[in-house]
Amino acid sequence: MQDGLSVYGTQLSSRLLVGTAQYPSPAILSGAIKASGAEVVTVSLRREAGGSRAGESFWTLIRELGVKVLPNTAGCRTVKEAVTTAQMAREVFATSWIKLEVIGEDDTLQPDVFGLVEAAGILARDGFQVFPYMTEDLVVAEKLLGAGCEVLMPWGAPIGSGRGLNNRFGLEALRKHFPEVPLVVDAGIGTPSHAAAAMELGYDGVLINTAIAKSGDPVTIARAFALAVDAGRLAYGADPIMPRDMAEPSTPQLGRAFVDLSHA
């Protein structure tokens, strides 16, 4: 791909962001990130483990990959918890980037959009560059932008479900309402075709964790996701044809040799 993704003034050549949880081993995690070509990885503050041996080893691996870290507030369920976690992550990872999660419902891990908007405003005023994990709700999107967010990360489906794009209409509406805002589908992507579909809608990127980490071959599927993201982006830029209800011959009939069988 020639064009890249621009977020908060940072230009990225890859439109695929990758999570770092649930991999079978550090070596497979490293191989998958390399195969994906991702330049941004999400990291949970809890994973760093406060300087423990496991945390140090993980952090060394990430540094050696030379990727940009996007800390997240995974597991937070209140505004206070999310803000505190973000502030701690800024100290640990030395970045103002934060993927903001405020979970409101345990079965679906659906964001608490009221707490999300409140926490985003607090963090933006504190100098954070917030990447909010949200639903595809237009009103919530407007409020998050008003709170200072320059990137939106709507879900495709519940986290870890692998269901793909549950509400294509809602995602399309979000894209059309905010044509200039970087939009990244976060959560629910299960297969490379799901990632390609998101990119064909005009989304600027996708963030994937479980679909890579828990596949039978994380390294290979990471590469497949990278190719799918590029394919979807290329297709979006190529102005694909619109679906039709009726058939249309792909071969022109002008000049076709007709045989009159009425007198046979």
Side-chain angles (χ1 to χ4, degrees):
M1 285 295 294
Q2 297 300 314
D3 66 337
L5 170 63
S6 180
V7 286
Y8 289 111
T10 296
Q11 190 68 27
L12 304 166
S13 59
S14 172
R15 294 175 177 274
L16 174 59
L17 291 71
V18 175
T20 57
Q22 306 183 79
Y23 286 84
S25 72
I28 293 176
L29 166 62
S30 177
I33 292 175
K34 290 176 182 176
S36 74
E39 297 167 275
V40 176
V41 298
T42 60
V43 175
S44 169
L45 177 64
R46 289 177 298 180
R47 179 66 183 271
E48 186 61 13
S52 68
R53 184 176 298 278
E56 289 176 3
S57 175
F58 172 74
W59 187 227
T60 298
L61 183 154
I62 296 298
R63 279 201 301 265
E64 289 176 348
L65 288 169
V67 293
K68 190 170 180 60
V69 172
L70 173 58
N72 65 57
T73 63
C76 292
R77 285 173 166 72
T78 67
V79 173
K80 182 178 180 180
E81 190 179 6
V83 170
T84 300
T85 301
Q87 291 168 338
M88 293 172 65
R90 180 163 60 181
E91 296 298 321
V92 171
F93 298 108
T95 177
S96 61
W97 280 16
I98 190 71
K99 186 167 101 69
L100 179 62
E101 296 183 20
V102 182
I103 300 302
E105 206 279 325
D106 286 338
D107 288 336
T108 62
L109 299 180
Q110 180 169 333
D112 169 2
V113 295
F114 304 100
L116 183 70
V117 171
E118 182 182 351
I122 293 171
L123 293 171
R125 289 192 293 274
D126 193 24
F128 281 91
Q129 295 173 318
V130 183
F131 297 66
Y133 163 62
M134 55 178 286
T135 60
E136 66 277 13
D137 189 287
L138 292 175
V139 177
V140 173
E142 190 72 59
K143 291 187 178 299
L144 286 169
L145 294 173
C149 298
E150 296 181 10
V151 179
L152 300 176
M153 301 184 74
W155 66 351
I159 294 172
S161 68
R163 296 179 57 87
L165 308 182
N166 263 359
N167 184 1
R168 184 184 174 97
F169 169 80
L171 292 170
E172 283 181 315
L174 197 63
R175 177 70 287 172
K176 290 176 181 175
H177 275 73
F178 304 105
E180 304 300 327
V181 176
L183 300 178
V184 177
V185 170
D186 177 14
I189 298 292
T191 64
S193 62
H194 295 158
M199 300 303 294
E200 288 173 4
L201 290 181
Y203 273 68
D204 298 283
V206 296
L207 194 158
I208 301 169
N209 189 159
T210 304
I212 296 176
K214 301 192 77 171
S215 75
D217 185 345
V219 175
T220 297
I221 205 164
R223 177 61 180 152
F225 273 114
L227 294 171
V229 167
D230 284 352
R233 181 67 180 177
L234 282 170
Y236 173 68
D239 190 19
I241 65 170
M242 297 298 293
R244 294 170 53 91
D245 292 331
M246 302 298 291
E248 181 181 43
S250 56
T251 301
Q253 296 189 29
L254 184 65
R256 175 181 173 183
F258 291 94
V259 177
D260 185 356
L261 301 178
S262 60
H263 303 293

